[in-house]
Amino acid sequence: LRTSAGKVLITDDDESVRRLFGSILSGAGYDVIEAEDGDEALMLAGDLAPDLVLIDLVMPNREGIETIPLLRKAHPGMKIVAVSGAFGGGFLRAASVLGADATLMKPVGPDQLIETVRRLLDS
């Protein structure tokens, strides 16, 4: 019997986005960890081994677009969902090429977020 549906690392430089996604996913039974940039995401992914990383593509310090290939190399089995509203979603295609398992265009609705995470973690 699993107490958690899975561990999700939410990486976004916008605290309100992290809080919103976190409350949606914890309400759906996921354990949530937060990171504010790619560097923190890489560190936490190594320390806490989340099942899935939800990552914004445009952030200060280390952007998601740079972080995805590094996560993919270090943690081949980890699921990665790229999230972006920048440039009309143009970066999302690049994220898929770099190794994201799924992409979400901001703004992301609660049902869409939960459905995407559930689909990847149940597969």
Side-chain angles (χ1 to χ4, degrees):
L1 184 73
R2 287 201 338 204
T3 53
S4 164
K7 196 184 305 179
V8 178
L9 172 58
I10 299 170
T11 310
D12 199 302
D13 57 314
D14 184 334
E15 187 184 350
S16 62
V17 171
R18 291 196 310 269
R19 214 179 290 137
L20 175 66
F21 287 1
S23 68
I24 292 167
L25 291 171
S26 58
Y30 295 94
D31 289 330
V32 173
I33 313 154
E34 293 182 13
E36 60 186 40
D37 62 35
D39 289 332
E40 191 179 7
L42 289 167
M43 186 187 72
L44 291 172
D47 292 348
L48 303 173
D51 301 299
L52 184 143
V53 177
L54 200 64
I55 189 162
D56 185 31
L57 295 182
V58 181
M59 296 180 288
N61 303 327
R62 187 183 298 277
E63 301 203 49
I65 209 90
E66 298 172 77
T67 309
I68 290 169
L70 299 171
L71 283 170
R72 181 54 64 227
K73 186 174 181 204
H75 313 280
M78 193 178 284
K79 300 294 184 187
I80 301 171
V81 178
V83 184
S84 182
F87 310 108
F91 272 7
L92 293 173
R93 283 184 293 284
S96 295
V97 172
L98 293 169
D101 296 293
T103 59
L104 291 169
M105 179 81 179
K106 282 182 182 175
V108 180
D111 294 343
Q112 184 186 24
L113 179 64
I114 292 167
E115 191 276 325
T116 302
V117 170
R118 193 168 281 150
R119 177 172 48 86
L120 288 172
L121 292 183
D122 288 351
S123 60

